């Protein structure tokens, strides 16, 4: 089974487990994003058909929630937490430093697709503010220097 | 050994491994058990390790010191005094009821929860109490919703119980979208069964058969912990078609949020569980009569639910004696910002802000001066030093323009700009607004634009009146709690820190040195 | 079968209406017009524009008349200094939110937002007005959507879903970024679901959705939803 077929089969299973119910749309979108990395129009149309929902309704739900991505992310994702505690402890300055260094704005990816810079509203590690997530690693009590260093490492392929 | 989302990024798992290896090395496996637990609350000095008996709390433990602790404390019986957490004051004024098991049990073992008396509450209900009796106890306790609004819990249950339509549902709210608050996360990671037992008792009282636990996707460890807890509860008949062989049916399903703060609003969470955009809707009809799929639904914050088992175990009258008469019990708070002791605390209602900020929090670090305390997150108020004697309870906070919210207390020092703070919170609400109603969607964005002008030197003195007028309108005319409370930071900073606004507009200066910076200076 | 009736006071006037009637309709049926924008008879109420907020004695809160049912002994106030101020704020906020230039708009003189502004005496906007550049879609044979004029009342979405039934229209994104979309945010011209029934243009209160070449005064048909609903129930009362 090709990679694509097996992913589609897994998605079908989840839809089936939920009885193809309209109310399972969020769960299905979560699974689809987990399997495919992001939700493109073809995928959304597929889900709309399988769950018997109007396409505009599915698109409306997918775009309402910040968690769902409709575009492919970069190879490496930097997520900055902009919760109150992190903001008070200087998270904005760290994000600005990353923006300047790689010439992208938050929410964007570098042209070569290697790096995306995202912002999330609070991951709940507030006592460890500011926190920056590089790929899946949470950098607690982050500083500009440590974060830029880590990104360099990650891009350097180490 | 705390393995919560707080200590984990600081290397908790490496330390855990070091403990396990050291215990083996010194051959004390039979005398010493190494276990993963939830959060003790002292987040800034993690990884945190507790040695029982004796309640010894070690701070900033590393894999190297782990071995030393095993060698000296466990084997030789000599606690390492200079490595212990020395701040007694942090714990002295706390009263850990909701977090009763946090740091004391392994959250991945239902046996631990049961050993601490867990699930005896639901057993008591099923064996000796009627649903009305249960509601009576909750009403007597005086418990009020911990999600923010503070609606009397017993009354809420009564409303849903009285509804004749079936089936009935329970929705446990773990959306905790307030940036800067991690109380619900900590509870779920440390003591997931407390939440499940609360749901069970509520289901018994209102005669619901299905519960949904709505949790944000940004909390992967909490999700994992809850999934395991639900599976374990099911395996010993505490959830399912025939709970403890009594014929009572109750099942819990997890539902995941997807990055929308507004989904924490009562009617928005219903829309989300129904697979739709999380847009709040006008009331009436109220969820108690028409909630999920038009059926009677009880929506309750998980902290509220965690109180239920102990109220049933010890009685409503016992609970009503804690806190203040109109505001009983305790409240969990995430204490963060410019404070010496950031972390998760639980205090009796009625404690003053001063006690929290200076006694528990240890004041402001680095020799700086206290400026303000933000209570209630982006829906809350920015309170000055003159209000430090204020007792923490729903009514006192509302009177000064703040709210209890889900429990965020952020301390600010003289390096923080109050105008920038109000702007930050307004920006947050603008981003999270669902877009349904004019005052919040269109109005709050105008407020944010005015702030952009104020912090960059493009404003006029008339803007202060515009902010005030808009804020009051948005508060009075918005459809849901998000819009109704979003102006609180603006209105309270205008009320208590007006001088800073004048300085920004008239003099183009920011006394905290935050605004008017050129790009390169950042 | 007779439904129970409810007696209440609206602006001092004693009125009696069927149980379950919304304050807005109870008032209208007794000659009292409460301003609205998102409400449309025949469609489910939305409660979003907040123009219809009224005061009810005994409560400090304000209530949207379109979605609040009457109750026995209720005393409603639909006109007051405070309510007028608040309605003016709502209109100003809408005018500032997107691009509203009446003189170059197809709906000039046939626009519910414009009439409301005139009625309330809104002669200036206290906020900086936004000049938005949201997508204008004229790919359909005759239907055009100019999102810069949209006030997000969702009448178009509701009429497409509740009356025509095809649900071509919905909203994407949220808050100030919310926009009306067709299908998967695609061009109207290529829509897989639109039936070209034009009801969206008929119910749009402003000049956001209109028919190319047709005077807006001709297109707009505020009663269409109520009309169809009643006929479907086999009611032909003129």
């Amino acid at each position: 089974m090709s990679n694509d077929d097996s992913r589609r089969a897994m998605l079908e299973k989840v839809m089936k487990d939920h009885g193809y119910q309209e109310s399972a749309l969020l769960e299905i979108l979560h699974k689809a994003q987990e399997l495919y990395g992001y939700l493109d129009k073809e995928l959304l149309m597929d889900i709309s058909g399988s769950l018997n929902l109007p396409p505009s309704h599915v698109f409306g739900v997918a775009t309402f929630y910040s968690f769902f991505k409709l575009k492919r992310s970069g190879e490496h994702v930097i997520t900055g937490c902009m919760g109150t505690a992190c903001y008070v402890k200087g998270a904005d300055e760290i994000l600005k430093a990353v923006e300047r260094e790689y010439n992208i704005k938050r929410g964007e990816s570098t042209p070569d697709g290697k790096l995306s810079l995202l912002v999330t509203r609070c991951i709940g590690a507030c006592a460890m503010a500011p926190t920056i997530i590089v790929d899946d690693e949470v950098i607690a009590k982050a500083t500009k220097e440590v974060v830029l260093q880590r990104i360099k490492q990650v891009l350097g392929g180490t | 050994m705390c393995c919560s989302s707080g200590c984990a990024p600081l290397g908790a798992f490496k330390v855990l491994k070091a403990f396990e290896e050291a215990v083996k090395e010194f051959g004390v496996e039979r005398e010493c058990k190494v276990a993963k637990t939830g959060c003790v609350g002292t987040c800034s000095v993690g990884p945190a390790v507790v040695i029982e008996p004796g309640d010894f709390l070690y701070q900033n433990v590393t894999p190297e010191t782990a071995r030393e602790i095993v060698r000296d404390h466990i084997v030789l019986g000599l606690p390492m005094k200079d490595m212990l957490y020395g701040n007694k004051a942090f714990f002295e004024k706390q009263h850990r009821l909701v977090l009763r098991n946090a740091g004391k049990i392994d959250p991945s073992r239902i046996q631990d929860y049961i050993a601490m008396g867990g699930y005896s509450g639901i057993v008591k209900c099923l064996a000796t109490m009627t649903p009305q009796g249960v509601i009576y106890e909750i009403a007597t306790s005086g418990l009020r919703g911990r999600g923010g609004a503070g609606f009397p819990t017993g009354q809420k249950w009564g409303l849903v119980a009285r509804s004749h339509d079936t089936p009935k549902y329970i929705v446990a709210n773990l959306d905790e979208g307030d940036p800067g608050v991690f109380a619900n996360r900590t509870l779920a990671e440390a003591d997931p069964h407390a939440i499940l037992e609360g749901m069970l008792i509520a289901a018994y009282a209102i005669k619901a058969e299905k519960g949904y636990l709505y949790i944000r996707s940004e909390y992967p460890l909490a999700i994992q912990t809850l999934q395991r807890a639900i599976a374990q509860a099911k395996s010993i008949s505490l959830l399912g078609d025939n709970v403890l062989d009594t014929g009572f049916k109750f099942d819990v399903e997890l539902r995941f949020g997807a990055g929308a703060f507004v989904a924490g609003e009562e009617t928005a969470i219903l829309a989300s569980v129904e697979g739709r955009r999380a847009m709040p809707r006008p009331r009436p009809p109220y969820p108690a009569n028409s909630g999920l799929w038009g059926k009677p639904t009880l929506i309750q914050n998980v902290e509220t639910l965690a109180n239920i088992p102990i109220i049933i175990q010890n009685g409503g009258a016992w609970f009503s004696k804690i806190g203040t008469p109109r505001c009983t019990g305790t409240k969990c708070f995430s204490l963060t910002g410019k404070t010496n002791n950031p972390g998760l605390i639980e205090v009796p209602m009625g404690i003053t802000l001063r006690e929290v900020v200076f006694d528990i929090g240890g004041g402001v670090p680095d020799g700086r001066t206290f400026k303000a305390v933000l209570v209630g997150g982006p829906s809350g108020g920015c309170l000055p030093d003159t209000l430090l004697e204020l007792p923490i309870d729903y009514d006192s906070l509302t009177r000064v323009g703040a709210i209890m919210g889900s429990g965020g207390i952020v301390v600010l020092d003289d390096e923080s700009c109050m105008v920038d703070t109000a702007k930050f919170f307004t920006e947050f609400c603008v981003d999270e607004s669902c877009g349904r109603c004019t005052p919040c969607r269109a109005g709050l964005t105008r407020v944010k634009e005015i702030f952009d002008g104020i912090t960059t030197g493009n404003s006029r003195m008339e803007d202060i009146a515009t902010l005030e007028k808009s804020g009051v309108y948005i508060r009075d005319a918005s459809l849901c709690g998000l819009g109704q409370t979003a102006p609180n930071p603006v209105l309270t900073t205008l009320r208590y820190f007006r001088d800073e606004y004048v300085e920004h507009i008239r003099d183009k200066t920011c006394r905290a040195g935050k605004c008017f910076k050129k790009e390169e200076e950042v | 079968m007779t439904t129970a009736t409810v007696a209440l006071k609206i602006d001092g006037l004693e009125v009696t209406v069927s149980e379950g009637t919304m304050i807005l309709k109870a008032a209208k049926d007794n000659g009292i017009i409460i301003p609205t924008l998102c409400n449309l008879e025949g469609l489910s109420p939305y409660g979003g524009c907040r123009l219809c907020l009224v005061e009810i004695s005994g409560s400090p809160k304000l209530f949207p008349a379109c979605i609040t049912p009457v109750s026995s002994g209720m005393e409603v106030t639909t006109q007051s200094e405070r309510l007028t101020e608040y309605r003016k704020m709502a209109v100003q906020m809408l005018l500032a939110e997107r691009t509203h230039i009446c003189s170059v708009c197809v709906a000039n003189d046939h626009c519910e937002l414009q009439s409301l502004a005139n009625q309330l005496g809104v002669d200036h906007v206290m906020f900086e007005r936004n000049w938005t550049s949201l997508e204008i879609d004229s790919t359909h044979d005759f239907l055009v959507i100019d999102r810069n004029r949209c006030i997000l009342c969702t009448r178009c979405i509701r009429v497409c879903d509740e009356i025509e039934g095809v649900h071509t229209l919905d909203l994407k994104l949220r808050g100030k970024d919310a926009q009306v979309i067709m299908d998967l945010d695609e061009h109207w011209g290529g829509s897989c679901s639109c039936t070209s029934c034009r009801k969206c243009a008929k119910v749009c209160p402003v000049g956001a959705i209109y028919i190319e070449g047709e005077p807006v005064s001709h297109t707009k048909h505020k009663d269409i939803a109520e009309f169809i609903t009643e006929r479907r129930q086999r009611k032909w009362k003129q």
Side-chain angles (χ1 to χ4, degrees):
Chain A
M1 230 186 200
S2 83
N3 203 7
D4 231 25
D5 286 339
S6 61
R7 286 192 290 192
R8 186 59 186 77
M10 288 206 270
L11 188 62
E12 187 72 32
K13 178 172 191 308
V14 176
M15 290 198 278
K16 186 159 182 225
D17 287 344
H18 279 98
Y20 299 97
Q21 296 229 338
E22 168 182 335
S23 62
L25 180 57
L26 271 149
E27 269 56 47
I28 307 298
L29 291 176
H30 270 293
K31 192 68 188 177
Q33 180 158 295
E34 192 190 302
L35 290 168
Y36 292 88
Y38 68 108
L39 306 168
D40 68 16
K41 288 200 171 164
E42 213 184 295
L43 187 53
L44 290 172
M45 201 56 168
D46 188 355
I47 292 170
S48 144
S50 302
L51 295 181
N52 205 16
L53 288 167
S56 61
H57 172 99
V58 174
F59 198 83
V61 173
T63 54
F64 184 88
Y65 298 92
S66 315
F67 191 80
F68 296 131
K69 304 192 217 329
L70 270 66
K71 276 197 284 231
R72 192 192 298 273
S73 297
E75 237 175 87
H76 300 282
V77 183
I78 316 299
T79 312
C81 176
M82 277 288 268
T84 317
C86 290
Y87 182 76
V88 165
K89 290 292 194 90
D92 200 29
E93 280 73 39
I94 300 180
L95 284 177
K96 283 200 173 104
V98 177
E99 285 178 324
R100 265 202 308 272
E101 181 73 18
Y102 293 94
N103 206 18
I104 50 173
K105 288 248 158 296
R106 45 201 87 174
E108 292 175 1
S109 304
T110 52
D112 62 3
K114 286 238 183 294
L115 191 71
S116 288
L117 180 62
L118 303 174
V119 166
T120 187
R121 267 303 174 171
C122 181
I123 61 164
C126 318
M128 244 71 52
T131 51
I132 307 282
I133 310 175
V134 176
D135 287 334
D136 279 319
E137 185 198 339
V138 177
I139 302 178
K141 296 189 183 157
T143 61
K144 231 187 317 196
E145 294 74 33
V146 167
V147 172
L148 287 172
Q149 166 78 323
R150 187 81 193 103
I151 299 175
K152 265 203 189 72
Q153 272 182 334
V154 152
L155 285 177
T158 44
Chain B
M1 160 99 251
C2 173
C3 290
S4 270
S5 298
C7 287
L10 297 174
F13 286 100
K14 286 205 185 86
V15 176
L16 181 76
K17 195 148 176 279
F19 268 107
E20 287 169 341
E21 284 169 358
V23 163
K24 238 198 226 134
E25 184 198 332
F26 289 104
V28 286
E29 289 108 310
R30 293 230 264 155
E31 293 97 68
C32 177
K33 180 179 150 173
V34 180
K36 289 196 293 234
T37 67
C39 175
V40 194
T42 53
C43 308
S44 64
V45 294
V49 179
V50 176
I51 309 274
E52 295 279 13
D55 215 11
F56 293 93
L57 175 59
Y58 285 95
Q59 62 181 19
N60 300 122
V61 184
T62 63
E64 294 72 38
T65 52
R67 189 178 172 275
E68 283 172 34
I69 291 172
V70 175
R71 186 196 61 207
D72 289 4
H73 187 143
I74 308 293
V75 179
L76 298 175
L78 300 168
M80 305 183 66
K81 290 207 171 64
D82 48 325
M83 293 192 39
L84 287 171
Y85 183 73
N87 190 357
K88 294 249 173 317
F90 183 76
F91 290 107
E92 249 158 32
K93 298 211 162 177
Q94 292 193 47
H95 189 158
R96 293 169 94 84
L97 283 183
V98 167
L99 299 171
R100 54 193 175 274
N101 294 324
K104 296 202 167 79
I105 62 165
D106 182 341
S108 69
R109 286 167 45 89
I110 191 172
Q111 306 93 307
D112 279 20
Y113 181 70
I114 294 174
M116 300 291 275
Y119 287 118
S120 64
I122 182 65
V123 168
K124 185 175 178 183
C125 292
L126 290 168
T128 67
M129 297 172 81
T130 59
Q132 296 92 316
V134 173
I135 296 177
Y136 177 77
E137 279 309 314
I138 304 303
T140 308
S141 74
L143 179 67
R144 291 164 73 166
R146 296 291 189 253
F151 192 87
T153 308
Q155 202 177 321
K156 206 176 198 186
W157 289 23
L159 287 167
V160 187
R162 274 198 288 283
S163 233
H164 293 299
D165 205 359
T166 58
K168 296 189 190 170
Y169 297 102
I170 296 188
V171 174
N173 189 341
L174 217 167
D175 194 49
E176 195 161 55
D178 263 30
V181 184
F182 50 97
N184 290 168
R185 166 181 75 66
T186 308
L187 172 63
E189 289 173 0
D191 196 5
H193 291 282
I195 300 171
L196 296 178
E197 190 179 357
M199 288 177 81
L200 268 164
I201 296 171
Y204 178 72
I206 66 164
K207 299 203 175 71
E209 289 187 355
K210 185 69 187 261
Y212 292 97
L213 213 168
Y214 190 90
I215 179 168
R216 337 171 48 207
S217 310
E218 290 88 336
Y219 286 170
L221 183 58
I223 291 174
Q224 223 178 65
T225 312
L226 282 162
Q227 278 169 333
R228 193 187 293 117
I230 291 171
Q232 288 179 347
K234 267 202 184 107
S235 72
I236 58 172
S237 243
L238 278 162
L239 287 172
D241 283 339
N242 193 3
V243 175
L244 297 177
D245 218 25
T246 58
F248 171 56
K249 255 200 251 192
F250 186 62
D251 210 356
V252 175
E253 197 182 307
L254 282 180
R255 286 299 187 129
F256 306 127
F261 171 70
V262 71
E265 198 273 345
E266 214 177 54
T267 55
I269 208 175
L270 296 180
S272 204
V273 172
E274 289 174 356
R276 299 184 286 114
R277 290 160 63 90
M279 312 265 285
R281 58 168 169 74
R283 275 146 287 193
Y286 289 89
N289 292 316
S290 174
L292 272 183
W293 303 293
K295 300 296 181 186
T297 307
L298 175 71
I299 301 123
Q300 212 77 84
N301 179 273
V302 293
E303 185 178 333
T304 317
L305 290 168
N307 277 293
I308 304 297
I310 44 171
I311 292 175
I312 295 297
Q313 279 165 27
N314 301 300
W318 161 83
F319 190 85
S320 70
K321 296 200 183 76
I322 304 164
T324 73
R326 287 200 43 153
C327 208
T328 59
T330 61
K331 179 81 189 78
C332 296
F333 287 103
S334 307
L335 179 62
T336 61
K338 304 295 179 76
T339 172
N340 274 311
N341 303 322
L344 186 66
I345 65 173
E346 187 179 349
V347 292
M349 293 284 201
I351 195 174
T352 65
L353 281 171
R354 181 180 295 283
E355 287 173 279
V356 170
V357 175
F358 290 98
D359 296 341
I360 299 177
V364 177
D366 304 330
R368 308 220 70 95
T369 29
F370 170 88
K371 187 177 205 181
V373 62
L374 316 176
V375 186
S379 317
C382 310
L383 308 176
D385 54 356
T386 49
L387 289 176
L388 280 169
E389 298 313 321
L390 195 76
I392 297 182
D393 66 63
Y394 292 101
D395 312 306
S396 303
L397 286 170
T398 321
R399 221 175 297 125
V400 299
I403 63 164
M404 181 80 71
S406 55
I409 297 182
V410 185
V411 184
L412 297 184
D413 64 14
D414 50 305
E415 271 181 333
S416 314
C417 169
M418 297 319 291
V419 176
D420 182 68
T421 300
K423 175 180 154 198
F424 174 78
F425 282 140
T426 305
E427 222 165 54
F428 175 81
C429 291
V430 165
D431 282 347
E432 299 295 332
S433 167
C434 81
R436 187 174 188 136
C437 74
T438 307
C440 178
R441 183 197 75 236
L444 210 57
T445 314
R446 311 281 79 73
V447 168
K448 189 246 173 206
E449 285 167 357
I450 294 174
F451 272 109
D452 283 339
I454 295 177
T455 55
T456 54
N458 295 307
S459 55
R460 315 160 303 171
M461 288 301 282
E462 291 83 3
D463 288 343
I464 292 182
T466 309
L467 283 179
E468 187 96 47
K469 207 171 171 202
S470 307
V472 169
Y473 168 68
I474 297 166
R475 183 194 65 197
D476 291 347
S478 288
L479 189 152
C480 84
L482 192 157
Q484 288 158 6
T485 56
N488 286 344
V490 181
L491 293 173
T492 48
T493 48
L494 281 171
R495 186 166 158 187
Y496 303 117
F497 300 94
R498 201 184 197 85
D499 289 345
E500 288 195 37
Y501 281 88
V502 175
E503 282 164 22
H504 277 72
I505 298 174
R506 187 190 60 199
D507 310 329
K508 298 208 185 8
T509 54
C510 172
R511 62 168 85 160
K514 187 127 208 302
C515 309
F516 309 111
K517 277 207 182 115
K518 300 207 177 54
E519 265 309 301
E520 308 86 63
E521 283 173 10
V522 173
Chain C
M1 188 187 87
T2 46
T3 31
T5 54
V6 173
L8 67 149
K9 272 204 191 127
I10 304 179
D11 289 343
L13 184 72
E14 306 229 356
V15 305
T16 307
V17 293
S18 316
E19 195 177 30
T21 308
M22 299 301 161
I23 295 175
L24 184 67
K25 186 150 199 312
K28 182 163 179 237
D29 289 349
N30 285 279
I32 298 172
I33 309 296
I34 302 171
T36 63
L37 272 176
C38 66
N39 187 263
L40 194 72
E41 198 67 42
L43 297 179
S44 62
Y46 189 57
C49 70
R50 312 311 274 177
L51 262 311
C52 71
L53 291 175
V54 294
E55 290 163 0
I56 296 180
S57 70
S59 174
K61 297 201 294 183
L62 298 172
F63 297 82
C66 62
I67 208 155
T68 309
V70 297
S71 68
S72 186
M74 205 184 232
E75 283 178 34
V76 182
T77 306
T78 73
Q79 290 289 347
S80 74
E81 226 179 272
R82 181 187 180 206
L83 288 177
T84 305
E85 264 318 295
Y86 280 4
R87 286 168 189 154
K88 284 165 101 162
M89 288 287 278
V91 169
Q92 288 179 73
M93 285 169 176
L94 287 173
L95 288 172
E97 185 175 36
R98 290 193 181 173
T99 311
H100 298 282
I101 314 177
C102 301
S103 52
V104 296
C105 179
V106 286
N108 193 12
D109 277 344
H110 300 281
C111 170
E112 293 180 46
L113 179 63
Q114 189 184 27
S115 326
L116 200 54
N118 290 333
Q119 208 184 304
L120 291 167
V122 174
D123 50 15
H124 74 284
V125 179
M126 68 167 83
F127 308 103
E128 278 243 16
R129 299 179 67 161
N130 275 264
W131 307 122
T132 53
S133 40
L134 301 171
E135 207 202 330
I136 301 171
D137 184 354
S138 54
T139 57
H140 188 281
D141 280 347
F142 45 84
L143 285 162
V144 184
I145 181 169
D146 182 347
R147 296 180 172 96
N148 301 291
R149 297 175 183 154
C150 179
I151 59 170
L152 293 168
C153 72
T154 71
R155 275 190 194 171
C156 55
I157 294 172
R158 281 176 283 145
V159 83
C160 185
D161 174 64
E162 294 167 24
I163 306 294
E164 183 67 2
V166 295
H167 201 112
T168 298
L169 305 174
D170 209 307
L171 286 173
K172 75 168 174 183
L173 301 170
R174 65 181 187 222
K176 62 175 174 29
D177 301 321
Q179 290 172 58
V180 174
I181 51 155
M182 295 84 198
D183 301 324
L184 292 181
D185 195 16
E186 279 150 355
H187 282 141
W188 216 337
S191 169
C192 57
S193 60
C194 175
T195 57
S196 304
C197 74
R198 305 166 194 235
K199 285 198 263 300
C200 47
K202 290 180 203 269
V203 302
C204 179
V206 298
I209 299 184
Y210 59 94
I211 293 174
E212 185 103 44
E214 187 173 286
V216 158
S217 55
H218 184 87
T219 314
K220 292 205 185 295
H221 188 2
K222 255 186 97 170
D223 305 321
I224 188 74
E226 184 182 19
F227 182 78
I228 295 178
T229 307
E230 286 183 347
R231 298 304 183 268
R232 283 211 184 118
Q233 292 165 4
R234 297 287 169 248
K235 289 192 191 141
W236 266 268
K237 204 150 177 230
Q238 300 300 333

